[in-house]
Amino acid sequence: MIFIYKVPQVKGFVHKDQFPRPNLNDSLEGEIQAFLTDEDQLHTYDDLTKVNPVTPTTVLKCLQARYNARVFYTHAGCTLVALNPFQPIPDLYSVDVMKEYHCAPQPQELKPHIFIVAEEAYRNVQGQLEPVNQSLVVSGESGAGKTWTSRCLMKYYATVAASSSVVKSQDIVGRIERRVLDSNPIMEAFGNACTLRNNNSSRFGKYIQLQLDRSQLLVGASVQTYLLEKTRVACQPANERNFHIYYQMIKGATDEQRKDWKMPCGQHFVWLPNAEKTVEEDCFHETVEAMVHLGINAERQREIFRILAGILQLGNVNFSPSTDESQPCNLEEQAAELFSIPTEELQLALRVRTLKAGKQSVLKPCSQTECSMRRDCLAKVIYAQLFEWLVAFINNSICADKSMWCNFIGILDVYGFECFQLNNLEQLCINYANEKLQQHFVAHYLRAQQEEYVSEGLQWSFVKYQDNQSCLDLIEGSTVSVFSLLNEESRLNRASDCKMFRVRLEKELCDNVNISWDKFSKVPHFTVAHYAGKVNYQIQGMVEKNKDPVPPELNSLLQKSDNSLLHQIFTDKETDNMTSKGLSKVTVVSKFKNSLESLMKILHTTTPHYTRCIKPNHDCKPLTFKKEEVIMQLEACGIVETIHISAAGFPIRIPFTSFLQRYGLIAKYSNFQSESDCASKYTLSLYLSHCLDSDKHNSWVHCGRTKVFLTQSMVNLLEDQRNKILSQCAFVIQCCWLRYQRRRRQARRKSATLIQAAVRSWLVRKQVQRWNRAATVIQDTWRKWKALLKSLAEAELDDAKDLEEENVPELNPVIRERGSVQLSTLQEPVTVRGWPMGLALASAPSITVSLTATGFQKMMSVMASLNLPSRRGEYKVEPNQYTQGLASIRAQPKGSVKLHYQRSPLLYADRQPDLKSEVTGFNEILLEKTL
């Protein structure tokens, strides 16, 4: 959200050597008119520090001209001014635009954008400039665009972290990014509402810490919330709505879900006004999808929505006066059934309260007003506890372990300054938070910087500004303040009296000029002069809201609920109450004050970046600029004073030690004789002014007593020069390393070559020796085998000379005719010659076999050795004379035949062939014949 600061109008800015003259106003008016003459060029001023002179009028005219030109971001020194266009602007926040600003060498040179602020904070974390942790403070009135700006910032960091991640962690970063972004729809659905000023007004404050690891990658996030406006659950201002989640349920639920939630179509709910109005945030599907991504399963979702539906049913409960005992209340079973508690016990808890008298308990019926208050209290406490449970669940889902991250970037989005016709405790706390954040801006920038300039010896004339410390003392003072008196009144065990409380406020705080009273008003109230304007606060009901009492009967009843989520929430709450037993009662303002002080401690330890969201008109009309409303916001947030200090001051302040540690290498490695490098020139000027002449300075840099003061332009030049030198050093290191690696690689290659040559020569010698030995053995064996074969052939085979005959004499026609069988498949008989006698023959079904033998002895041997059956298909005849070796038969074998010979071709000598299988070779026939 935005914080609005009201500062008196400043007519000019002068240094000590420029004293005001009597005609200053006249000359200033002339300068203003001269500046505004060329209106066509006003929209070109992207930084308001370039405006001359700087006055509310000139600043307003420039912003109006840029707004009319559809330029919505403008630099104002250390802050960024953002004007709400109240309509979507295509491609203004696309991923391509994000990458353009992220990859730019100098993002400040691009057009003003919220991504410039985001990138500056991100680069501060990368550069490890102290303090490393960053905070982005988004401030403005309700409807100025704070929530949208926070969304854009979260999307930017999620995109930047994901784009710079390594490949192996793409899935992890994507999951974290998605969960961090999915926390927004849930938080807005349960914590935002449609008001008169804004369709998506945050009714709570949140500070989101985006957790980064050492590589500046997004590894997690955490959410811290402040002061949920839970009274809106049971009481909605006129023409405003309840929280978004209820309207999402009504418009997006299915018939089955409506039946489960006891919410039939057409049912009217008292706590659901303006249900017919539709806004962009009424997207039930998006909320449910975000719940699924965060790990809320379907059963837990059902429990959540049944609790919400039960709260709506409570709003329809009416109570009868105490005199009508027949109809105490019209409580139906829907609410009790949705809460999973007995209907009778719920009626009793709403109608009867328990009073303790010593050790005894007394039951007392409640009046009609008291019953309504107890009903509203029940609804508010259930919704508040459910919201806290959601926040805790989101943190458990997206928060990373402390060991995984080292730095963070915080995004602060809180409610804007509020002033309505009726303002109560909620508006007092909201405006108090804006006062604290305004004080942070004043202390960090408007006051601290100027005081530091003077203490460091800079010639400086103070720019006047409004310090709201007196208003903070009025609200939160340590001795007597509005909060202290309110807490004291709340802790008294008595009924509050608003008139008496007002009298006490007048008595105790009459000396503070920031508070006043209207003595003629019949309604007790008090008026506080905030930095953004005066606000009237009514006292009626303020003390009761600060007490925030929850009847113990209601807590006990909810702890007995069969709804596991409701039972868990209130059981854990009871445990927390037991641990804090004995402490003083914690009120709403004391709890809110403590949480806000912890937030301020975090902000003081980080580097803040301010974004001022401006609301061009209160009607939220697109591209409508109302000067009166804009000028009030500019004066309230101190834009003019900020521009003055930014234009004349030095936003960057670095201690000497840190400066020399970071930029000393420029003086070491740069050539100061060269006038072309202005960064080196200014670095030399820094050293000279520090060591020789402390009064020497220029408009970009100044050396104080303990720090170096720099403008952003000077820092950019120094960073550029430093990056160049680091690049040169890195290049030299890379060259040396590459040369070393190359030499080492060459030496290793040479050594490897020598080793390989020696090993290969040894291997070749060994291999040749083995070959020689093997060849000798083979030759000897071959000679022996040849000789043996020759001897066997000479001894066993007769008529071997017939093998040498090339032309076999033609067979006798009679023998050929008688020794051949003609098959139907072949027209001519096929003659197969078998030689020598050991040739194995068999008949095949598809071939005609003709056997020719020369000599009576051979013919008789063959006929005696072979028994050719008359059946066809039993054997297959294949000649094996040259492929399977030789075999000899002297006589018909008797008994078992086993032939053994080294390297023998008789492969089947020891096998018994199957008669039904194809048999090849003469040896198998011999085995068969011996059976």
Side-chain angles (χ1 to χ4, degrees):
M1 304 305 251
I2 206 165
F3 326 119
I4 312 171
Y5 319 116
K6 187 172 183 179
V7 186
Q9 181 174 326
V10 179
K11 296 297 182 181
F13 174 79
V14 294
H15 287 279
K16 287 186 176 182
D17 55 346
Q18 296 177 348
F19 296 97
R21 298 180 181 179
N23 61 346
L24 178 62
N25 292 334
D26 297 337
S27 62
L28 186 58
E29 290 295 334
E31 294 178 1
I32 294 175
Q33 294 299 326
F35 177 78
L36 299 178
T37 300
D38 193 3
E39 295 185 359
D40 295 337
Q41 299 298 322
L42 293 180
H43 70 278
T44 61
Y45 288 89
D46 54 358
D47 193 339
L48 297 179
T49 57
K50 301 176 183 178
V51 175
N52 187 22
V54 178
T55 65
T57 303
T58 56
V59 171
L60 180 65
K61 285 291 185 181
C62 289
L63 291 177
Q64 184 179 11
R66 293 177 64 81
Y67 191 75
N68 293 335
R70 300 201 173 193
V71 181
F72 308 107
Y73 290 102
T74 307
H75 290 299
C78 66
T79 65
L80 179 71
V81 177
L83 295 171
N84 193 343
F86 293 114
Q87 69 176 17
I89 305 299
D91 301 328
L92 186 59
Y93 305 98
S94 64
V95 177
D96 293 335
V97 176
M98 295 180 188
K99 293 181 179 179
E100 179 183 0
Y101 281 88
H102 177 61
C103 299
Q106 292 295 336
Q108 292 81 5
E109 297 177 357
L110 301 178
K111 294 180 180 179
H113 201 287
I114 186 62
F115 295 155
I116 292 182
V117 180
E119 182 62 24
E120 181 182 355
Y122 189 71
R123 295 192 181 189
N124 285 353
V125 176
Q126 288 181 317
Q128 297 293 299
L129 292 173
E130 293 293 339
V132 180
N133 296 328
Q134 310 289 308
S135 288
L136 303 176
V137 182
V138 185
S139 58
E141 284 189 356
S142 180
K146 301 177 297 298
T147 301
W148 174 259
T149 301
S150 299
R151 286 187 200 172
C152 294
L153 290 171
M154 292 181 63
K155 180 63 177 178
Y156 180 84
Y157 287 122
T159 303
V160 168
S163 64
S164 58
S165 61
V166 294
V167 176
K168 65 181 180 180
S169 63
Q170 282 284 0
D171 296 338
I172 299 177
V173 173
R175 177 179 57 84
I176 295 171
E177 170 201 357
R178 188 174 187 179
R179 287 195 173 191
V180 170
L181 296 181
D182 281 335
S183 64
N184 258 342
I186 299 177
M187 299 291 289
E188 293 182 11
F190 285 82
N192 291 18
C194 180
T195 64
L196 292 175
R197 297 186 177 183
N198 187 6
N199 287 341
N200 190 28
S201 177
S202 298
R203 308 318 303 163
F204 71 105
K206 63 176 178 289
Y207 183 69
I208 305 172
Q209 282 188 346
L210 302 178
Q211 300 161 348
L212 306 175
D213 62 6
R214 296 186 182 277
S215 300
Q216 290 76 50
L217 302 180
L218 182 64
V219 295
S222 64
V223 181
Q224 185 176 356
T225 60
Y226 307 95
L227 191 66
L228 174 70
E229 189 190 24
K230 59 184 179 182
T231 57
R232 183 171 290 269
V233 176
C235 180
Q236 300 80 34
N239 298 322
E240 294 190 359
R241 303 201 315 175
N242 209 322
F243 291 103
H244 290 323
I245 185 62
Y246 288 115
Y247 300 93
Q248 292 179 1
M249 294 171 59
I250 291 294
K251 299 176 182 180
T254 62
D255 294 337
E256 183 180 354
Q257 289 174 328
R258 283 179 172 273
K259 183 178 180 181
D260 185 44
W261 302 340
K262 314 297 180 184
M263 296 171 58
C265 294
Q267 184 180 6
H268 174 72
F269 295 99
V270 178
W271 288 349
L272 212 60
N274 300 318
E276 68 283 353
K277 183 177 181 179
T278 302
V279 297
E280 184 182 354
E281 286 70 26
D282 292 343
C283 185
F284 182 67
H285 175 73
E286 183 179 352
T287 302
V288 173
E289 186 178 2
M291 286 183 172
V292 174
H293 292 163
L294 286 174
I296 303 178
N297 56 37
E299 181 61 27
R300 186 65 80 188
Q301 292 179 30
R302 179 176 179 270
E303 294 174 348
I304 292 173
F305 292 128
R306 284 178 64 87
I307 293 173
L308 295 173
I311 293 175
L312 281 184
Q313 295 290 350
L314 277 180
N316 291 346
V317 175
N318 294 323
F319 297 92
S320 303
S322 58
T323 56
D324 187 2
E325 296 294 338
S326 61
Q327 296 292 334
C329 69
N330 68 339
L331 179 66
E332 299 181 358
E333 296 182 357
Q334 284 88 344
E337 184 178 352
L338 290 170
F339 291 146
S340 300
I341 55 179
T343 305
E344 298 77 10
E345 294 187 15
L346 180 58
Q347 286 185 353
L348 185 64
L350 295 177
R351 294 177 53 247
V352 180
R353 61 175 178 170
T354 304
L355 300 178
K356 288 188 177 182
K359 296 183 179 180
Q360 296 182 351
S361 299
V362 180
L363 301 179
K364 180 181 179 181
C366 299
S367 64
Q368 184 180 16
T369 304
E370 290 175 338
C371 289
S372 299
M373 292 178 59
R374 292 168 75 88
R375 175 202 62 191
D376 296 350
C377 178
L378 177 63
K380 290 187 293 185
V381 70
I382 292 177
Y383 193 87
Q385 292 299 318
L386 178 61
F387 184 80
E388 290 185 5
W389 179 87
L390 277 172
V391 174
F393 186 91
I394 290 174
N395 283 332
N396 291 334
S397 177
I398 64 178
C399 187
D401 187 77
K402 181 61 180 176
S403 60
M404 297 179 59
W405 62 277
C406 54
N407 301 114
F408 68 85
I409 297 177
I411 302 176
L412 181 61
D413 177 17
V414 298
Y415 12 60
F417 189 86
E418 294 185 351
C419 180
F420 304 111
Q421 289 184 349
L422 296 178
N423 303 283
N424 208 289
L425 182 65
E426 293 84 7
Q427 281 69 41
L428 179 61
C429 292
I430 289 173
N431 295 337
Y432 162 67
N434 282 271
E435 289 283 356
K436 290 288 289 186
L437 294 167
Q438 166 66 12
Q439 180 63 19
H440 176 265
F441 177 77
V442 169
H444 182 269
Y445 196 80
L446 297 180
R447 180 176 65 237
Q449 285 198 14
Q450 296 189 87
E451 292 177 351
E452 191 173 27
Y453 293 156
V454 176
S455 64
E456 290 289 337
L458 277 72
Q459 295 183 1
W460 184 263
S461 292
F462 270 89
V463 177
K464 295 182 180 180
Y465 60 89
Q466 178 183 347
D467 192 349
N468 64 335
Q469 185 60 49
S470 59
C471 185
L472 284 175
D473 293 339
L474 168 68
I475 299 176
E476 63 164 6
S478 57
T479 55
V480 179
S481 62
V482 175
F483 280 178
S484 63
L485 295 176
L486 187 60
N487 286 334
E488 185 177 343
E489 184 71 19
S490 300
R491 292 189 176 102
L492 296 177
N493 190 15
R494 67 182 184 186
S496 60
D497 189 341
C498 56
K499 293 183 179 180
M500 291 180 59
F501 183 58
R502 172 185 169 178
V503 171
R504 190 174 184 194
L505 288 175
E506 292 181 4
K507 179 181 178 181
E508 299 291 345
L509 303 174
C510 59
D511 296 335
N512 196 306
V513 296
N514 293 88
I515 190 171
S516 59
W517 298 268
D518 184 3
K519 297 182 180 180
F520 299 100
S521 176
K522 296 181 180 180
V523 180
H525 73 280
F526 61 93
T527 303
V528 176
H530 292 282
Y531 70 94
K534 294 183 177 181
V535 181
N536 298 326
Y537 299 99
Q538 63 175 2
I539 302 177
Q540 183 68 37
M542 185 175 288
V543 177
E544 287 75 11
K545 288 186 177 181
N546 189 41
K547 291 179 181 179
D548 195 21
V550 179
E553 301 89 354
L554 299 181
N555 273 331
S556 302
L557 179 63
L558 294 173
Q559 291 174 14
K560 301 176 183 178
S561 173
D562 292 334
N563 186 311
S564 60
L565 177 59
L566 201 60
H567 174 76
Q568 174 188 346
I569 290 174
F570 283 90
T571 302
D572 295 342
K573 181 182 178 183
E574 183 67 20
T575 304
D576 295 339
N577 293 337
M578 293 293 293
T579 57
S580 61
K581 186 176 180 180
L583 301 177
S584 59
K585 180 177 176 60
V586 178
T587 60
V588 172
V589 296
S590 60
K591 181 180 179 180
F592 181 66
K593 179 182 177 182
N594 293 334
S595 62
L596 202 58
E597 287 178 351
S598 64
L599 171 64
M600 301 311 298
K601 290 180 180 179
I602 296 176
L603 293 181
H604 283 298
T605 59
T606 61
T607 300
H609 304 266
Y610 299 96
T611 300
R612 304 294 189 187
C613 297
I614 302 296
K615 191 175 183 179
N617 62 86
H618 286 292
D619 299 326
C620 300
K621 294 182 179 180
L623 300 177
T624 301
F625 191 92
K626 294 185 178 180
K627 295 185 290 185
E628 297 80 7
E629 299 175 4
V630 174
I631 194 66
M632 291 177 60
Q633 298 176 61
L634 294 178
E635 291 178 349
C637 62
I639 286 292
V640 177
E641 292 75 18
T642 303
I643 297 171
H644 275 307
I645 298 175
S646 299
F650 303 93
I652 311 299
R653 305 176 301 279
I654 306 177
F656 280 143
T657 304
S658 301
F659 179 82
L660 295 177
Q661 183 178 0
R662 185 170 185 82
Y663 300 111
L665 55 88
I666 299 179
K668 180 178 180 181
Y669 291 98
S670 297
N671 183 12
F672 292 102
Q673 302 297 328
S674 175
E675 293 294 331
S676 60
D677 195 346
C678 57
S680 300
K681 175 183 176 181
Y682 283 116
T683 307
L684 177 60
S685 175
L686 287 175
Y687 280 94
L688 292 176
S689 62
H690 173 59
C691 301
L692 303 177
D693 186 3
S694 60
D695 294 332
K696 182 177 180 179
H697 64 278
N698 52 59
S699 60
W700 282 15
V701 62
H702 180 86
C703 289
R705 294 186 176 91
T706 61
K707 295 181 179 180
V708 178
F709 295 84
L710 307 164
T711 62
Q712 187 63 46
S713 301
M714 187 63 216
V715 172
N716 295 339
L717 290 174
L718 289 174
E719 287 293 330
D720 288 342
Q721 182 65 13
R722 181 175 180 271
N723 292 335
K724 290 180 182 179
I725 293 176
L726 290 177
S727 299
Q728 294 174 359
C729 294
F731 179 74
V732 172
I733 294 173
Q734 289 175 352
C735 291
C736 295
W737 174 250
L738 291 175
R739 182 169 59 250
Y740 166 75
Q741 282 189 323
R742 188 169 300 170
R743 291 177 176 175
R744 186 178 180 184
R745 191 183 302 114
Q746 290 177 350
R748 289 182 175 181
R749 184 176 299 173
K750 185 177 180 181
S751 301
T753 303
L754 295 176
I755 295 173
Q756 289 174 357
V759 171
R760 285 170 181 165
S761 63
W762 179 80
L763 290 175
V764 169
R765 287 195 298 271
K766 298 291 289 184
Q767 185 69 24
V768 170
Q769 292 174 0
R770 285 197 298 270
W771 286 350
N772 292 334
R773 291 193 299 269
T776 303
V777 173
I778 292 172
Q779 290 173 354
D780 294 342
T781 305
W782 175 253
R783 291 190 186 100
K784 292 179 182 179
W785 186 73
K786 289 276 288 184
L788 182 61
L789 286 181
K790 185 175 180 181
S791 63
L792 289 175
E794 292 177 352
E796 299 291 336
L797 300 178
D798 50 356
D799 297 334
K801 60 182 179 179
D802 294 340
L803 292 174
E804 300 177 357
E805 297 180 3
E806 296 183 358
N807 297 323
V808 180
E810 185 176 356
L811 294 177
N812 191 329
V814 176
I815 297 176
R816 178 176 181 181
E817 180 179 359
R818 293 180 179 179
S820 302
V821 179
Q822 180 68 41
L823 297 180
S824 61
T825 56
L826 296 176
Q827 296 181 358
E828 294 292 333
V830 177
T831 302
V832 178
R833 295 182 177 86
W835 186 260
M837 185 174 54
L839 180 66
L841 299 175
S843 63
S846 60
I847 189 170
T848 300
V849 179
S850 174
L851 179 63
T852 301
T854 302
F856 177 78
Q857 183 181 359
K858 292 181 179 179
M859 181 65 70
M860 294 302 294
S861 298
V862 170
M863 298 301 295
S865 299
L866 298 179
N867 183 15
L868 299 179
S870 60
R871 290 175 301 172
R872 295 184 179 181
E874 295 289 339
Y875 300 97
K876 179 181 179 181
V877 179
E878 288 185 359
N880 60 350
Q881 180 178 356
Y882 299 106
T883 59
Q884 297 187 9
L886 301 174
S888 63
I889 298 295
R890 292 182 177 272
Q892 185 173 358
K894 296 180 180 181
S896 177
V897 177
K898 292 185 180 180
L899 303 178
H900 299 281
Y901 188 78
Q902 188 177 7
R903 300 180 185 272
S904 174
L906 305 179
L907 302 178
Y908 304 96
D910 295 332
R911 291 184 54 185
Q912 178 178 347
D914 189 0
L915 293 178
K916 295 182 180 180
S917 63
E918 294 182 351
V919 180
T920 61
F922 182 64
N923 302 308
E924 295 182 8
I925 299 175
L926 293 179
L927 292 177
E928 179 184 359
K929 298 293 293 182
T930 59
L931 294 178

